[in-house]
Structures are given as C-alpha cells and as structure tokens.
Amino acid sequence: MSQSRPFIVLALAFWIAAALQQAAAPHLAIAGARPDFLLVVALAASVMFPPVVAAVLGFASGLLHGGVAGSDVASLTVIRTLGAYLAGYVSRLELDVRPWYVGLVAFGGTLLASLLKMVPSPPPETWPYLRDTIFAAMYNGVLAIPLYALLRRTLHHKVNSRP
C-alpha cells in the first residue's frame, strides 16, 4: 500500500461526508435525530489508527462540521478531537475488531461528543436534547458499521498489525 493511499481515501471520505452533512442529513432525520456523517467517518476510521492519528481525524471532523454547519468551530474541534483520540485506543487493544464493535464505538463517541457539547452551550430544553442525542448515537452507530467495513477493505488495513 502506498504511503498516500490512506490520506487520499480519508480525504475523499471526509469530502463526501461533508457534502452529505450539508445536503442530506436534515432530510434523513428519524425521530428528531440527524446522522452526523463527519463524526461517523472520524470514529469509524479512528479505530484503525493510533490515537494521535485518530485525534487528527477528529480535528478534521470538527473543523469541517463547523465550517459546513456554520457553528462553533472551536468547541466542535476540541470535542471531536478528544472523542476520536479515545476511539483510537481501540487499535491498541488486542482484539479482533469487528464492524459491530465499531458501531458501539461510534455510539459511545457520539454520546460523548453530544454530552460534552452541552457544557459550553447548554440546550434550551435538556430532555428533548438527550432523547435526540441517544437516537443520533444509535443512528451513527448503525452507519459506522458498513462504513468501517468499507474503509477497512479499501485501505487493506489490518487493525492489529504490528511492525
């Protein structure tokens, strides 16, 4: 595998996710929960890379989401960097990572990101926000499963490969 292939594949995945976030996410809402395509890409890819690389993926996710949505870029980048960094620790575990496990990581990462987002800017109504957060976390967890399988196959990446 060439050195630039992961960069090209992930840049393309983020570009597609940013377009979907802007154009399709509002129309794909289920029970008030919208998918967060950029966060799903960051978390699904983070389990394949060391925590430092995963943090860069989270930073890119926050930066792109803030730019596309026109929202607070600073809090999004910090929160997503932290979430992806933690998801990157999956690559250090001696597990045979399966797609369903990545769905759980995306579920937890979405919950963490949404709950941390409440700190700098609390929502006007807490309970509806928490309900929508749980549904969005389930949505993102389901979306992460096929995305992880696709990324892993495209990158020809074995998660626990050690040099």
Side-chain angles (χ1 to χ4, degrees):
M1 175 169 70
S2 75
Q3 295 292 334
S4 62
R5 183 177 182 154
F7 176 76
I8 293 168
V9 168
L10 291 172
L12 182 62
F14 274 120
W15 182 72
I16 292 169
L20 287 172
Q21 191 67 41
Q22 182 67 21
H27 304 292
L28 295 175
I30 297 175
R34 292 181 181 179
D36 190 337
F37 295 109
L38 289 161
L39 184 59
V40 170
V41 170
L43 292 173
S46 291
V47 300
M48 293 188 281
F49 296 100
V52 174
V53 176
V56 172
L57 295 173
F59 182 83
S61 170
L63 191 64
L64 286 169
H65 193 123
V68 167
S71 60
D72 185 17
V73 176
S75 67
L76 280 171
T77 54
V78 169
I79 291 166
R80 289 173 184 229
T81 300
L82 176 64
Y85 180 79
L86 293 174
Y89 273 99
V90 170
S91 71
R92 296 192 182 258
L93 299 176
E94 296 297 324
L95 298 172
D96 184 22
V97 178
R98 301 282 184 202
W100 66 267
Y101 186 74
V102 177
L104 291 177
V105 169
F107 176 81
T110 302
L111 281 179
L112 176 69
S114 295
L115 293 176
L116 287 176
K117 189 178 174 186
M118 287 178 64
V119 174
S121 57
E125 296 182 35
T126 305
W127 293 115
Y129 179 81
L130 291 176
R131 182 197 65 225
D132 293 346
T133 294
I134 292 169
F135 285 136
M138 290 189 296
Y139 206 157
N140 288 348
V142 169
L143 290 174
I145 293 170
L147 178 64
Y148 168 75
L150 179 66
L151 286 174
R152 187 169 175 183
R153 177 170 283 207
T154 304
L155 295 174
H156 304 294
H157 190 74
K158 181 163 174 36
V159 174
N160 291 325
S161 62
R162 302 282 187 248

